[in-house]
Amino acid sequence: MSNKNFVLFFADLMIVVLISACGGPTVQNTGGTILKIQCPKENISTTQNKLLERLSTLSAAPENITSSITGDVIKIELPAVFDTTTVRSLVAWDRSFRLCRGLDPSVQRRVRTHLKNFLNIPEKTKPYKPSSMIGLVADDQREAVIANISSQAFKEQFPEVRNYYWGAKKMDGRNALFMESSSSAFISEDMFSRLEGYASKDNSEGEFGLQLKDDYADRIGQLTGNDSVYLLHIFHQEVYISKIIEPHITQPNFGMSGAFSVAEAKALGAIWASENLDPAVKIVSLNLVEGK
């Protein structure tokens, strides 16, 4: 190669390098999060698209997010995204939602007596009020409680109980146990035309705006009824809010607040706006990378 051709070749190479360097941000030059997810090969392309749709809500420039597939593992690189809690939530949480009544006080007292050897009743009132839950369960007692309330004997003794749920947040280091009344009307995710998460005006907490479909517009009235009742607000099978709702609410559009961080609200809103992931999806690794 002549000196002239070498100079031209070197100049062209430098131009390519400069163009590449001036391209979109990457994890390598800005830092960020590298996420690896394992899932069944037959669904992997669809799962990849759903994940990218969810995770794009975290980035101001979602076009800079890159992904690749190797075998049954999806690798996603999120430039400049260091919020691993929300990243994990967007992958691990599902889009299920339920609004339902807790147990009537008389039934709650009977259930508490039945489970008294497993329970602690808190005195403080946050994040949940003691009068809305069954009680608190230590981590090492959780499996025993599940076995008890899943037994046929429990179901026959307490037909008033439809489902049980755990609180999304712990109280005094223990798990908050809730139960749904079998006589309660309920609202689930397929009854909504809209569920949107956003930040409050002062950016201090997350809030939700919800809109029921026309066919279910009267369901909130059925649920609240004529008396003030405790309603459980359940996202991805965990109770976030247990609060007294005033009777005669009839508007098909309503809001929720008081239990969500901004990140949680945005994550749950993004999950609800997308399709559910395959239940076999598993996070293999989630690593932070410092930028150069």
Side-chain angles (χ1 to χ4, degrees):
M1 182 183 291
S2 68
N3 288 341
K4 181 179 179 181
N5 288 337
F6 178 79
V7 171
L8 290 172
F9 171 77
F10 184 77
D12 289 341
L13 179 62
M14 288 305 296
I15 289 171
V16 170
V17 170
L18 286 170
I19 290 173
S20 298
C22 295
T26 66
V27 167
Q28 285 68 39
N29 60 39
T30 67
T33 301
I34 297 179
L35 173 70
K36 291 184 178 180
I37 305 104
Q38 187 177 43
C39 68
K41 287 184 178 180
E42 60 269 22
N43 300 325
I44 200 160
S45 294
T46 301
T47 301
Q48 180 188 32
N49 292 334
K50 291 178 181 177
L51 283 166
L52 289 171
E53 181 183 3
R54 289 185 176 191
L55 293 167
S56 66
T57 62
L58 296 176
S59 175
E63 66 275 8
N64 294 325
I65 297 174
T66 61
S67 67
S68 59
I69 296 174
T70 304
D72 63 349
V73 174
I74 303 168
K75 178 182 178 182
I76 298 177
E77 298 190 17
L78 301 156
V81 174
F82 292 90
D83 184 359
T84 55
T85 299
T86 308
V87 170
R88 186 178 296 278
S89 301
L90 285 165
V91 176
W93 290 352
D94 63 41
R95 70 192 295 268
S96 64
F97 172 74
R98 196 171 182 89
L99 189 62
C100 58
R101 293 190 187 193
L103 297 183
D104 291 338
S106 60
V107 181
Q108 179 201 50
R109 287 192 291 270
R110 288 168 47 216
V111 172
R112 279 181 171 176
T113 300
H114 178 81
L115 296 173
K116 64 182 179 180
N117 293 334
F118 303 104
L119 298 178
N120 174 271
I121 308 301
E123 294 182 1
K124 67 179 186 179
T125 61
K126 289 184 178 181
Y128 310 107
K129 293 187 182 299
S131 51
S132 71
M133 73 173 82
I134 303 303
L136 300 179
V137 178
D139 288 339
D140 60 359
Q141 294 288 328
R142 187 162 159 156
E143 292 302 318
V145 170
I146 292 173
N148 189 300
I149 60 184
S150 300
S151 68
Q152 188 60 35
F154 182 91
K155 293 176 182 177
E156 291 175 357
Q157 185 175 350
F158 300 103
E160 301 93 342
V161 176
R162 180 185 287 151
N163 295 312
Y164 72 90
Y165 303 96
W166 300 101
K169 297 176 174 64
K170 287 188 173 182
M171 291 180 70
D172 299 326
R174 293 181 174 87
N175 305 281
L177 176 64
F178 297 85
M179 291 184 180
E180 174 186 355
S181 170
S182 60
S183 62
S184 172
F186 63 88
I187 294 173
S188 57
E189 67 275 3
D190 58 347
M191 299 177 185
F192 285 104
S193 59
R194 182 177 68 90
L195 190 157
E196 182 180 0
Y198 49 89
S200 61
K201 289 183 179 179
D202 61 0
N203 207 45
S204 63
E205 65 174 358
E207 298 180 350
F208 280 97
L210 303 100
Q211 175 74 46
L212 285 166
K213 294 178 181 177
D214 290 342
D215 290 346
Y216 302 102
D218 63 343
R219 186 61 65 96
I220 188 67
Q222 296 174 25
L223 189 54
T224 54
N226 297 320
D227 301 307
S228 296
V229 293
Y230 265 107
L231 292 190
L232 308 181
H233 301 63
I234 303 160
F235 286 86
H236 66 94
Q237 309 302 320
E238 294 181 329
V239 174
Y240 270 78
I241 310 175
S242 62
K243 62 189 296 186
I244 288 181
I245 302 293
E246 296 301 316
H248 303 304
I249 296 176
T250 57
Q251 293 296 322
N253 56 306
F254 52 97
M256 294 181 190
S257 62
F260 307 94
S261 68
V262 173
E264 285 172 332
K266 288 185 176 181
L268 287 165
I271 289 167
W272 194 87
S274 66
E275 294 182 49
N276 262 340
L277 300 175
D278 188 288
V281 167
K282 176 185 177 183
I283 295 176
V284 176
S285 63
L286 198 163
N287 299 314
L288 292 179
V289 177
E290 292 294 331
K292 293 180 180 179

